[in-house]
Amino acid sequence: MKKTETQKGVIHAGFSYFLWGLLPIYWKFLDHVNAKEILASRVLWSFVFMVIILLLTNKWGLFLQTIKGFAKNKKQMYALTIASLLISINWFIYIWAVNSGHMIEASLGYYINPLISILLGMIVLKEKLTVYQYVSFILAAIGVLIISISHGRFPWIALTLALSFGLYGLAKKLINVDSAVGLTLETLVVAPVAAIYIGYLFINGSNSFLTAGVPTDFLLIGAGAVTAVPLLYFAKGAQKIPLSLLGFLQYIAPTLTLLLGVFVYHEHFSKIQLLSFMFIWSALTIYSLSKTKLLSGQWFNMRREKSTNI
């Protein structure tokens, strides 16, 4: 039974990362729309989609109960607000990067993200790192330094994506609510701002929604579903599989995005970029293995015990 649940977890989590990896294709269909309007539509329609999901899954009562609970727990309310702002920043930069020909740098951001989480855990949560995790962080830093020097500029897109998502994860640690309820609350916080911005576009006649054609309208409305569905599958999968396995699966998304950038949208991928990515990939390999028995010290202890018994 446990094995079946793990298999389901792998399928759910793997599918969520697969969808995230292909998401740039969706945003490319909207490259004629201003990134701010795409973000506003994404937030607003995500909220509408999640409200429908809560009603269909009988979680509306839990949603209202959670809101009432924030009156007693201000810390969770502040963490939720910060999480909402951070994920909005992350979404905007990602959409803008994809539609501005920076898909490769966007993928780099999500490769760096786990290592940013390590750093945040060490600084904020006072978590202790293993030797292997220190090595992986240094290798990643070298990779970022190489690409910065080669470009002659700071890779702000990659690092903004990594930092915003890393800080989002940190904020989420302080919010102990149901995943569907949490996503609805996060979009609720920024939905009024999104609605006001869309209204402003209508007043100024600069809106794409309802003026750029029916396909664009459906794509903007569908932004809610393509945002929420991967997050819901991720939440279902993460509950059923070990964190170390989840760590391996998370590289599906940036790898697919990188492949799309190079082979489908023909973004330039230089030898210097390849060298930088090799440092990042090496760092991630060491980091991922450090979460398994192979490099965690358990493997060596097991081998020592077997030798002693013999």
Side-chain angles (χ1 to χ4, degrees), residues 136-169:
S136 63
F137 186 79
I138 291 168
L139 286 172
I142 292 171
V144 172
L145 189 62
I146 289 171
I147 205 165
S148 299
I149 294 171
S150 68
H151 276 219
R153 65 174 179 82
F154 194 65
W156 68 270
I157 295 172
L159 289 175
T160 302
L161 287 172
L163 276 170
S164 59
F165 204 76
L167 289 167
Y168 170 73

Side-chain angles (χ1 to χ4, degrees), residues 34-232:
N34 184 284
K36 292 178 184 177
E37 184 174 358
I38 297 174
L39 174 64
S41 298
R42 187 178 188 182
V43 169
L44 190 59
W45 290 110
S46 291
F47 174 66
V48 172
F49 181 82
M50 287 310 304
V51 167
I52 294 170
I53 291 294
L54 291 183
L55 291 171
L56 291 175
T57 55
N58 297 317
K59 288 186 177 180
W60 185 251
L62 179 61
F63 173 71
L64 296 177
Q65 184 182 343
T66 304
I67 292 177
K68 290 178 183 177
F70 285 145
K72 296 179 181 178
N73 194 337
K74 299 291 185 184
K75 187 178 179 181
Q76 278 206 343
M77 184 178 71
Y78 295 143
L80 175 75
T81 303
I82 292 169
S84 301
L85 295 173
L86 286 168
I87 199 62
S88 297
I89 291 169
N90 183 273
W91 287 351
F92 174 71
I93 296 296
Y94 186 72
I95 292 167
W96 178 85
V98 166
N99 288 346
S100 301
H102 298 289
M103 204 179 291
I104 291 174
E105 190 173 342
S107 71
L108 176 63
Y110 288 106
Y111 277 122
I112 296 171
N113 174 62
L115 303 164
I116 291 292
S117 297
I118 294 176
L119 186 62
L120 289 171
M122 182 177 65
I123 295 172
V124 181
L125 303 178
K126 308 300 179 184
E127 294 176 354
K128 292 183 179 180
L129 303 187
T130 65
V131 173
Y132 299 108
Q133 288 170 338
Y134 274 114
V135 170
S136 63
F137 186 79
I138 291 168
L139 286 172
I142 292 171
V144 172
L145 189 62
I146 289 171
I147 205 165
S148 299
I149 294 171
S150 68
H151 276 219
R153 65 174 179 82
F154 194 65
W156 68 270
I157 295 172
L159 289 175
T160 302
L161 287 172
L163 276 170
S164 59
F165 204 76
L167 289 167
Y168 170 73
L170 184 63
K172 289 282 281 183
K173 274 186 148 316
L174 303 174
I175 309 168
N176 186 25
V177 297
D178 176 85
S179 56
V181 170
L183 180 57
T184 310
L185 288 168
E186 287 167 26
T187 51
L188 172 62
V189 170
V190 286
V193 178
I196 291 169
Y197 180 73
I198 291 173
Y200 167 79
L201 292 177
F202 269 91
I203 292 170
N204 284 273
S206 53
N207 56 297
S208 294
F209 186 61
L210 299 180
T211 62
V214 174
T216 298
D217 295 341
F218 276 113
L219 286 169
L220 288 171
I221 293 171
V226 300
T227 296
V229 170
L231 284 168
L232 293 173

